[in-house]
């Protein structure tokens, strides 16, 4: 079941690696957003978003994820080297996986987010911290 995926990441090499993995799984990347304005402009095209916290415009990822979930109905999964910045989590979002993320973990995380999007049963990756 293919899904449209938004990548919110300001490090170009990391973003293109995520884009490659998303495509390899049969999903369609709708774009790479390095800041809040770009993420919001791409939101109408996305079903799932993979969101880093610290972006080109500062630590805006937490708020971006909250907006994407609440205002656009997007299934949000955070991918960050700073998971502690999320505290106990962000209501309406799936969870967080700590970077660096190995390819097989990224594939599992994307597949889990897509399954959640389609309300299918799925096993979360071992390092994925789920939010309530």
């Amino acid at each position: 079941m293919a899904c449209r995926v938004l990548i919110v990441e300001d490090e170009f090499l990391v973003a293109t690696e995520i884009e490659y993995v998303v495509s390899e799984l049969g999903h369609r990347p709708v774009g790479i957003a390095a800041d809040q304005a770009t993420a919001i402009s791409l939101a109408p095209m996305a079903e799932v978003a993979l969101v880093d916290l610290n972006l080109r415009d500062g630590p805006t990822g937490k708020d971006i994820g909250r907006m994407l979930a609440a205002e656009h109905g997007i299934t949000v999964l955070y991918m960050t080297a700073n998971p502690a910045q999320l505290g106990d989590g962000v209501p309406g979002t799936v969870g967080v996986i700590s970077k660096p993320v190995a390819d097989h973990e990224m594939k599992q995380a994307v597949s889990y987010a897509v399954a959640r999007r389609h309300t299918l049963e799925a096993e979360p990756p071992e390092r994925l911290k789920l939010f309530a």
Side-chain angles (χ1 to χ4, degrees):
M1 190 170 307
C3 223
R4 296 181 316 272
V5 181
L6 171 60
I7 300 156
V8 183
E9 169 65 61
D10 67 331
E11 292 184 40
F12 181 74
L13 292 176
V14 174
T16 55
E17 175 63 21
I18 296 169
E19 188 176 47
Y20 175 78
V21 169
V22 166
S23 296
E24 194 175 44
L25 289 169
H27 305 298
R28 194 177 113 228
V30 297
I32 296 171
D35 55 41
Q36 185 169 346
T38 308
I40 299 306
S41 72
L42 292 170
M45 295 181 273
E47 298 169 280
V48 170
L50 307 173
V51 181
D52 190 13
L53 294 183
N54 297 307
L55 301 165
R56 186 181 303 152
D57 54 357
T60 57
K62 183 176 180 179
D63 292 333
I64 291 169
R66 182 184 296 112
M67 279 190 287
L68 292 175
E71 297 173 22
H72 298 276
I74 295 172
T75 302
V76 174
L77 178 69
Y78 291 100
M79 297 176 76
T80 180
N82 304 293
Q85 290 179 344
L86 293 168
D88 292 331
V90 178
T93 64
V94 174
V96 61
I97 191 162
S98 297
K99 289 199 265 182
V101 181
D103 272 7
H104 74 280
E105 287 179 309
M106 192 178 311
K107 288 177 182 176
Q108 290 175 334
V110 171
S111 295
Y112 181 75
V114 169
R116 286 281 300 262
R117 174 73 186 181
H118 296 288
T119 60
L120 301 172
E121 288 293 318
E123 192 65 31
E126 190 175 306
R127 290 192 321 120
L128 177 63
K129 176 187 174 190
L130 296 174
F131 300 150

mmCIF file of all heavy atoms in Angstrom, residues 67-106:
data_model
loop_
_atom_site.group_PDB
_atom_site.id
_atom_site.type_symbol
_atom_site.label_atom_id
_atom_site.label_comp_id
_atom_site.label_asym_id
_atom_site.label_seq_id
_atom_site.Cartn_x
_atom_site.Cartn_y
_atom_site.Cartn_z
ATOM 1 N N MET A 67 1.777 20.512 14.045
ATOM 2 C CA MET A 67 0.898 21.133 13.041
ATOM 3 C C MET A 67 0.519 20.153 11.935
ATOM 4 O O MET A 67 -0.635 20.117 11.509
ATOM 5 C CB MET A 67 1.571 22.356 12.424
ATOM 6 C CG MET A 67 1.467 23.592 13.272
ATOM 7 S SD MET A 67 2.020 25.064 12.388
ATOM 8 C CE MET A 67 3.779 24.834 12.357
ATOM 9 N N LEU A 68 1.498 19.389 11.460
ATOM 10 C CA LEU A 68 1.209 18.434 10.390
ATOM 11 C C LEU A 68 0.152 17.432 10.835
ATOM 12 O O LEU A 68 -0.756 17.091 10.078
ATOM 13 C CB LEU A 68 2.478 17.705 9.961
ATOM 14 C CG LEU A 68 3.548 18.548 9.256
ATOM 15 C CD1 LEU A 68 4.798 17.717 9.002
ATOM 16 C CD2 LEU A 68 3.028 19.147 7.965
ATOM 17 N N ALA A 69 0.270 16.961 12.081
ATOM 18 C CA ALA A 69 -0.691 15.988 12.600
ATOM 19 C C ALA A 69 -2.058 16.624 12.858
ATOM 20 O O ALA A 69 -3.089 16.123 12.396
ATOM 21 C CB ALA A 69 -0.151 15.357 13.888
ATOM 22 N N ALA A 70 -2.071 17.748 13.583
ATOM 23 C CA ALA A 70 -3.332 18.357 14.009
ATOM 24 C C ALA A 70 -4.082 19.048 12.873
ATOM 25 O O ALA A 70 -5.297 18.918 12.766
ATOM 26 C CB ALA A 70 -3.064 19.348 15.140
ATOM 27 N N GLU A 71 -3.369 19.781 12.038
ATOM 28 C CA GLU A 71 -4.038 20.594 11.024
ATOM 29 C C GLU A 71 -4.160 19.925 9.661
ATOM 30 O O GLU A 71 -4.997 20.319 8.851
ATOM 31 C CB GLU A 71 -3.308 21.933 10.872
ATOM 32 C CG GLU A 71 -3.347 22.756 12.154
ATOM 33 C CD GLU A 71 -2.483 24.001 12.087
ATOM 34 O OE1 GLU A 71 -2.174 24.483 10.976
ATOM 35 O OE2 GLU A 71 -2.106 24.500 13.167
ATOM 36 N N HIS A 72 -3.309 18.922 9.412
ATOM 37 C CA HIS A 72 -3.322 18.288 8.092
ATOM 38 C C HIS A 72 -3.627 16.787 8.153
ATOM 39 O O HIS A 72 -3.676 16.134 7.118
ATOM 40 C CB HIS A 72 -1.985 18.524 7.382
ATOM 41 C CG HIS A 72 -1.705 19.973 7.144
ATOM 42 N ND1 HIS A 72 -2.208 20.665 6.056
ATOM 43 C CD2 HIS A 72 -1.000 20.872 7.861
ATOM 44 C CE1 HIS A 72 -1.816 21.924 6.113
ATOM 45 N NE2 HIS A 72 -1.080 22.078 7.201
ATOM 46 N N GLY A 73 -3.781 16.244 9.355
ATOM 47 C CA GLY A 73 -4.108 14.826 9.492
ATOM 48 C C GLY A 73 -3.009 13.883 9.041
ATOM 49 O O GLY A 73 -3.274 12.748 8.659
ATOM 50 N N ILE A 74 -1.766 14.344 9.096
ATOM 51 C CA ILE A 74 -0.635 13.546 8.638
ATOM 52 C C ILE A 74 -0.120 12.664 9.780
ATOM 53 O O ILE A 74 -0.080 13.088 10.935
ATOM 54 C CB ILE A 74 0.485 14.472 8.112
ATOM 55 C CG1 ILE A 74 -0.008 15.214 6.869
ATOM 56 C CG2 ILE A 74 1.772 13.702 7.823
ATOM 57 C CD1 ILE A 74 0.922 16.302 6.372
ATOM 58 N N THR A 75 0.266 11.449 9.454
ATOM 59 C CA THR A 75 0.886 10.551 10.414
ATOM 60 C C THR A 75 2.341 10.962 10.545
ATOM 61 O O THR A 75 3.092 10.897 9.573
ATOM 62 C CB THR A 75 0.769 9.088 9.939
ATOM 63 O OG1 THR A 75 -0.622 8.777 9.767
ATOM 64 C CG2 THR A 75 1.401 8.124 10.936
ATOM 65 N N VAL A 76 2.748 11.402 11.749
ATOM 66 C CA VAL A 76 4.076 11.980 11.966
ATOM 67 C C VAL A 76 4.942 11.057 12.812
ATOM 68 O O VAL A 76 4.531 10.603 13.885
ATOM 69 C CB VAL A 76 3.969 13.356 12.654
ATOM 70 C CG1 VAL A 76 5.346 13.901 13.018
ATOM 71 C CG2 VAL A 76 3.231 14.339 11.751
ATOM 72 N N LEU A 77 6.156 10.823 12.312
ATOM 73 C CA LEU A 77 7.180 10.078 13.042
ATOM 74 C C LEU A 77 8.423 10.956 13.087
ATOM 75 O O LEU A 77 8.889 11.431 12.052
ATOM 76 C CB LEU A 77 7.493 8.766 12.319
ATOM 77 C CG LEU A 77 8.571 7.900 12.937
ATOM 78 C CD1 LEU A 77 8.088 7.329 14.264
ATOM 79 C CD2 LEU A 77 8.935 6.769 12.000
ATOM 80 N N TYR A 78 8.906 11.203 14.300
ATOM 81 C CA TYR A 78 10.123 12.007 14.448
ATOM 82 C C TYR A 78 11.351 11.121 14.301
ATOM 83 O O TYR A 78 11.376 9.988 14.789
ATOM 84 C CB TYR A 78 10.156 12.677 15.826
ATOM 85 C CG TYR A 78 9.122 13.745 16.016
ATOM 86 C CD1 TYR A 78 7.949 13.493 16.702
ATOM 87 C CD2 TYR A 78 9.314 15.032 15.504
ATOM 88 C CE1 TYR A 78 6.992 14.478 16.886
ATOM 89 C CE2 TYR A 78 8.360 16.023 15.681
ATOM 90 C CZ TYR A 78 7.202 15.735 16.376
ATOM 91 O OH TYR A 78 6.256 16.723 16.553
ATOM 92 N N MET A 79 12.382 11.670 13.634
ATOM 93 C CA MET A 79 13.683 11.016 13.508
ATOM 94 C C MET A 79 14.715 12.076 13.872
ATOM 95 O O MET A 79 14.895 13.032 13.119
ATOM 96 C CB MET A 79 13.902 10.521 12.077
ATOM 97 C CG MET A 79 12.920 9.469 11.641
ATOM 98 S SD MET A 79 13.129 8.982 9.912
ATOM 99 C CE MET A 79 14.562 7.959 10.048
ATOM 100 N N THR A 80 15.363 11.921 15.031
ATOM 101 C CA THR A 80 16.250 12.973 15.511
ATOM 102 C C THR A 80 17.366 12.425 16.375
ATOM 103 O O THR A 80 17.215 11.384 17.007
ATOM 104 C CB THR A 80 15.444 14.028 16.319
ATOM 105 O OG1 THR A 80 16.324 15.049 16.769
ATOM 106 C CG2 THR A 80 14.746 13.399 17.507
ATOM 107 N N ALA A 81 18.453 13.165 16.414
ATOM 108 C CA ALA A 81 19.562 12.822 17.319
ATOM 109 C C ALA A 81 19.288 13.372 18.715
ATOM 110 O O ALA A 81 20.048 13.110 19.635
ATOM 111 C CB ALA A 81 20.871 13.388 16.771
ATOM 112 N N ASN A 82 18.202 14.135 18.868
ATOM 113 C CA ASN A 82 17.876 14.787 20.134
ATOM 114 C C ASN A 82 16.484 14.407 20.631
ATOM 115 O O ASN A 82 15.645 15.282 20.848
ATOM 116 C CB ASN A 82 17.959 16.310 19.959
ATOM 117 C CG ASN A 82 19.309 16.735 19.444
ATOM 118 O OD1 ASN A 82 20.303 16.603 20.120
ATOM 119 N ND2 ASN A 82 19.334 17.230 18.210
ATOM 120 N N PRO A 83 16.202 13.121 20.863
ATOM 121 C CA PRO A 83 14.848 12.724 21.260
ATOM 122 C C PRO A 83 14.402 13.308 22.600
ATOM 123 O O PRO A 83 13.205 13.483 22.823
ATOM 124 C CB PRO A 83 14.918 11.196 21.305
ATOM 125 C CG PRO A 83 16.357 10.883 21.478
ATOM 126 C CD PRO A 83 17.104 11.980 20.783
ATOM 127 N N ALA A 84 15.348 13.661 23.463
ATOM 128 C CA ALA A 84 14.989 14.230 24.768
ATOM 129 C C ALA A 84 14.239 15.553 24.613
ATOM 130 O O ALA A 84 13.465 15.938 25.499
ATOM 131 C CB ALA A 84 16.235 14.421 25.621
ATOM 132 N N GLN A 85 14.438 16.255 23.492
ATOM 133 C CA GLN A 85 13.733 17.517 23.250
ATOM 134 C C GLN A 85 12.227 17.327 23.127
ATOM 135 O O GLN A 85 11.465 18.287 23.246
ATOM 136 C CB GLN A 85 14.253 18.196 21.978
ATOM 137 C CG GLN A 85 15.654 18.734 22.102
ATOM 138 C CD GLN A 85 16.135 19.376 20.802
ATOM 139 O OE1 GLN A 85 15.570 19.174 19.731
ATOM 140 N NE2 GLN A 85 17.201 20.151 20.903
ATOM 141 N N LEU A 86 11.788 16.096 22.922
ATOM 142 C CA LEU A 86 10.363 15.824 22.779
ATOM 143 C C LEU A 86 9.697 15.499 24.113
ATOM 144 O O LEU A 86 8.473 15.330 24.166
ATOM 145 C CB LEU A 86 10.137 14.677 21.781
ATOM 146 C CG LEU A 86 10.512 15.010 20.353
ATOM 147 C CD1 LEU A 86 10.533 13.760 19.497
ATOM 148 C CD2 LEU A 86 9.557 16.034 19.766
ATOM 149 N N GLY A 87 10.486 15.383 25.171
ATOM 150 C CA GLY A 87 9.912 15.078 26.480
ATOM 151 C C GLY A 87 9.104 13.793 26.442
ATOM 152 O O GLY A 87 9.568 12.775 25.960
ATOM 153 N N ASP A 88 7.863 13.884 26.921
ATOM 154 C CA ASP A 88 6.979 12.717 26.945
ATOM 155 C C ASP A 88 6.248 12.504 25.632
ATOM 156 O O ASP A 88 5.401 11.627 25.533
ATOM 157 C CB ASP A 88 5.961 12.847 28.078
ATOM 158 C CG ASP A 88 6.621 12.749 29.450
ATOM 159 O OD1 ASP A 88 7.665 12.064 29.561
ATOM 160 O OD2 ASP A 88 6.089 13.355 30.395
ATOM 161 N N GLY A 89 6.538 13.340 24.640
ATOM 162 C CA GLY A 89 5.927 13.152 23.340
ATOM 163 C C GLY A 89 5.092 14.328 22.899
ATOM 164 O O GLY A 89 4.919 15.303 23.627
ATOM 165 N N VAL A 90 4.584 14.223 21.699
ATOM 166 C CA VAL A 90 3.757 15.261 21.091
ATOM 167 C C VAL A 90 2.410 14.626 20.759
ATOM 168 O O VAL A 90 2.353 13.681 19.970
ATOM 169 C CB VAL A 90 4.427 15.818 19.810
ATOM 170 C CG1 VAL A 90 3.547 16.852 19.143
ATOM 171 C CG2 VAL A 90 5.796 16.403 20.141
ATOM 172 N N PRO A 91 1.332 15.124 21.352
ATOM 173 C CA PRO A 91 0.015 14.543 21.085
ATOM 174 C C PRO A 91 -0.289 14.495 19.594
ATOM 175 O O PRO A 91 -0.001 15.432 18.852
ATOM 176 C CB PRO A 91 -0.946 15.507 21.802
ATOM 177 C CG PRO A 91 -0.106 16.159 22.864
ATOM 178 C CD PRO A 91 1.277 16.254 22.276
ATOM 179 N N GLY A 92 -0.845 13.368 19.175
ATOM 180 C CA GLY A 92 -1.227 13.215 17.778
ATOM 181 C C GLY A 92 -0.139 12.661 16.881
ATOM 182 O O GLY A 92 -0.393 12.378 15.715
ATOM 183 N N THR A 93 1.090 12.527 17.406
ATOM 184 C CA THR A 93 2.177 11.975 16.601
ATOM 185 C C THR A 93 2.494 10.557 17.077
ATOM 186 O O THR A 93 2.147 10.176 18.197
ATOM 187 C CB THR A 93 3.432 12.857 16.657
ATOM 188 O OG1 THR A 93 3.937 12.889 17.989
ATOM 189 C CG2 THR A 93 3.109 14.291 16.202
ATOM 190 N N VAL A 94 3.166 9.780 16.234
ATOM 191 C CA VAL A 94 3.406 8.363 16.501
ATOM 192 C C VAL A 94 4.493 8.136 17.543
ATOM 193 O O VAL A 94 4.296 7.422 18.525
ATOM 194 C CB VAL A 94 3.776 7.616 15.196
ATOM 195 C CG1 VAL A 94 4.180 6.186 15.473
ATOM 196 C CG2 VAL A 94 2.625 7.683 14.210
ATOM 197 N N GLY A 95 5.673 8.729 17.332
ATOM 198 C CA GLY A 95 6.786 8.487 18.224
ATOM 199 C C GLY A 95 8.075 9.036 17.642
ATOM 200 O O GLY A 95 8.054 9.822 16.702
ATOM 201 N N VAL A 96 9.194 8.583 18.227
ATOM 202 C CA VAL A 96 10.497 9.089 17.807
ATOM 203 C C VAL A 96 11.499 7.943 17.737
ATOM 204 O O VAL A 96 11.484 7.042 18.572
ATOM 205 C CB VAL A 96 11.006 10.197 18.759
ATOM 206 C CG1 VAL A 96 11.180 9.697 20.184
ATOM 207 C CG2 VAL A 96 12.308 10.817 18.248
ATOM 208 N N ILE A 97 12.356 8.001 16.733
ATOM 209 C CA ILE A 97 13.479 7.076 16.635
ATOM 210 C C ILE A 97 14.748 7.920 16.611
ATOM 211 O O ILE A 97 14.803 8.959 15.950
ATOM 212 C CB ILE A 97 13.360 6.134 15.413
ATOM 213 C CG1 ILE A 97 14.395 5.018 15.503
ATOM 214 C CG2 ILE A 97 13.423 6.884 14.106
ATOM 215 C CD1 ILE A 97 14.095 3.823 14.622
ATOM 216 N N SER A 98 15.742 7.480 17.385
ATOM 217 C CA SER A 98 16.986 8.238 17.514
ATOM 218 C C SER A 98 17.891 8.016 16.319
ATOM 219 O O SER A 98 18.043 6.900 15.839
ATOM 220 C CB SER A 98 17.728 7.797 18.775
ATOM 221 O OG SER A 98 16.966 8.082 19.908
ATOM 222 N N LYS A 99 18.482 9.125 15.847
ATOM 223 C CA LYS A 99 19.500 9.040 14.801
ATOM 224 C C LYS A 99 20.850 8.858 15.476
ATOM 225 O O LYS A 99 21.029 9.334 16.585
ATOM 226 C CB LYS A 99 19.511 10.327 13.959
ATOM 227 C CG LYS A 99 18.312 10.490 13.074
ATOM 228 C CD LYS A 99 18.558 11.470 11.968
ATOM 229 C CE LYS A 99 18.107 12.848 12.276
ATOM 230 N NZ LYS A 99 18.284 13.812 11.215
ATOM 231 N N PRO A 100 21.791 8.226 14.827
ATOM 232 C CA PRO A 100 21.695 7.695 13.464
ATOM 233 C C PRO A 100 20.784 6.464 13.391
ATOM 234 O O PRO A 100 20.676 5.711 14.354
ATOM 235 C CB PRO A 100 23.137 7.335 13.119
ATOM 236 C CG PRO A 100 23.812 7.098 14.424
ATOM 237 C CD PRO A 100 23.105 7.980 15.422
ATOM 238 N N VAL A 101 20.165 6.291 12.225
ATOM 239 C CA VAL A 101 19.250 5.191 11.983
ATOM 240 C C VAL A 101 19.815 4.345 10.854
ATOM 241 O O VAL A 101 20.064 4.858 9.756
ATOM 242 C CB VAL A 101 17.844 5.718 11.590
ATOM 243 C CG1 VAL A 101 16.888 4.568 11.358
ATOM 244 C CG2 VAL A 101 17.306 6.657 12.654
ATOM 245 N N ALA A 102 20.030 3.069 11.117
ATOM 246 C CA ALA A 102 20.503 2.144 10.077
ATOM 247 C C ALA A 102 19.395 1.953 9.037
ATOM 248 O O ALA A 102 18.213 2.141 9.344
ATOM 249 C CB ALA A 102 20.868 0.801 10.704
ATOM 250 N N ASP A 103 19.779 1.593 7.815
ATOM 251 C CA ASP A 103 18.795 1.426 6.739
ATOM 252 C C ASP A 103 17.664 0.482 7.127
ATOM 253 O O ASP A 103 16.498 0.771 6.870
ATOM 254 C CB ASP A 103 19.471 0.920 5.462
ATOM 255 C CG ASP A 103 19.988 2.049 4.589
ATOM 256 O OD1 ASP A 103 19.952 3.225 5.036
ATOM 257 O OD2 ASP A 103 20.432 1.766 3.464
ATOM 258 N N HIS A 104 18.002 -0.660 7.736
ATOM 259 C CA HIS A 104 16.938 -1.617 8.074
ATOM 260 C C HIS A 104 15.987 -1.036 9.125
ATOM 261 O O HIS A 104 14.786 -1.268 9.074
ATOM 262 C CB HIS A 104 17.520 -2.962 8.532
ATOM 263 C CG HIS A 104 18.118 -2.960 9.896
ATOM 264 N ND1 HIS A 104 19.389 -2.483 10.160
ATOM 265 C CD2 HIS A 104 17.608 -3.350 11.084
ATOM 266 C CE1 HIS A 104 19.637 -2.596 11.452
ATOM 267 N NE2 HIS A 104 18.579 -3.106 12.038
ATOM 268 N N GLU A 105 16.512 -0.228 10.053
ATOM 269 C CA GLU A 105 15.648 0.419 11.055
ATOM 270 C C GLU A 105 14.774 1.482 10.396
ATOM 271 O O GLU A 105 13.608 1.644 10.752
ATOM 272 C CB GLU A 105 16.481 1.094 12.135
ATOM 273 C CG GLU A 105 17.159 0.149 13.101
ATOM 274 C CD GLU A 105 17.986 0.896 14.122
ATOM 275 O OE1 GLU A 105 18.819 1.749 13.742
ATOM 276 O OE2 GLU A 105 17.780 0.635 15.326
ATOM 277 N N MET A 106 15.338 2.212 9.448
ATOM 278 C CA MET A 106 14.567 3.236 8.749
ATOM 279 C C MET A 106 13.430 2.588 7.967
ATOM 280 O O MET A 106 12.305 3.077 7.975
ATOM 281 C CB MET A 106 15.454 4.054 7.825
ATOM 282 C CG MET A 106 14.755 5.298 7.314
ATOM 283 S SD MET A 106 15.766 6.329 6.262
ATOM 284 C CE MET A 106 17.267 6.498 7.171
#
